Amino acid sequence: MSGARAVIALGSNLGDREQTLLAATREIADLDGVELIAASGAVETVAVKPQGEDPDAPAYLNAVVIVETSLDPLDLLHRLREIEQRHGRVRAERWGDRTLDLDLIDVAGVTLSTEELTLPHPRAAERAFVLEPWLQADPDARLTGHGPVRDLLEAL
């Protein structure tokens, strides 16, 4: 399949985190118009809330998958939200605990800013829990507008 390369971050801090990430990866790979190219291992991190790190909240497992897709970014986002919902995702509070969080980080270097989606992800450069697994999946990764992921991770 030819298409755009997309980077998707996965996170879970409720329920069987590892099984949820594995199932979500399979569901992403099974989407029409999507081909799985690479997947990181899981990285455990402390929960981040609007006020900062929260060691009292359940820890997250985070991962990154890289896909080739013929879907446009908004269509891909909608498919990812459907997967979240199937896994019981509730959007009650900003950065709240969740069974599954799927974030579109970068799609073929596209810069986009709509009410629904901003690309590249506006906080990806500041998040080791995105950068570390992304680097596992793609050692030469670059974040549009920010440069090599390796340099961003080292700067944190």
Side-chain angles (χ1 to χ4, degrees):
M1 168 190 303
S2 64
R5 182 166 282 218
V7 177
I8 303 164
L10 300 82
S12 175
N13 78 331
L14 296 176
D16 187 337
R17 303 170 306 161
E18 188 171 3
Q19 281 305 314
T20 298
L21 295 185
L22 288 171
T25 298
R26 281 193 300 273
E27 291 172 53
I28 291 166
D30 288 343
L31 290 171
D32 286 340
V34 172
E35 180 184 350
L36 184 67
I37 302 298
S40 73
V43 175
E44 190 169 56
T45 59
V46 67
V48 175
K49 305 287 184 163
Q51 64 275 13
E53 290 187 352
D54 183 357
D56 296 328
Y60 272 87
L61 276 187
N62 296 99
V64 162
V65 297
I66 299 171
V67 301
E68 289 281 333
T69 182
S70 58
L71 300 174
D72 74 47
L74 281 172
D75 284 341
L76 181 56
L77 178 67
H78 295 152
R79 301 295 84 75
L80 296 177
R81 287 194 174 152
E82 290 168 3
I83 293 170
E84 286 179 337
Q85 288 177 336
R86 285 197 296 273
H87 286 274
R89 169 70 189 268
V90 176
R91 293 179 183 273
E93 70 176 291
R94 185 168 190 233
W95 299 355
D97 296 333
R98 57 201 72 162
T99 53
L100 180 62
D101 184 33
L102 299 175
D103 284 331
L104 204 44
I105 303 299
D106 192 276
V107 180
V110 168
T111 302
L112 178 71
S113 184
T114 71
E115 194 171 301
E116 200 171 8
L117 178 62
T118 301
L119 289 174
H121 190 287
R123 290 171 298 283
E126 308 156 10
R127 292 182 165 170
F129 62 83
V130 170
L131 301 174
E132 185 179 340
W134 188 2
L135 205 54
Q136 282 183 22
D138 179 2
D140 299 319
R142 297 181 68 83
L143 178 60
T144 302
H146 296 275
V149 168
R150 181 175 310 285
D151 294 350
L152 296 172
L153 186 57
E154 287 174 7
L156 297 178

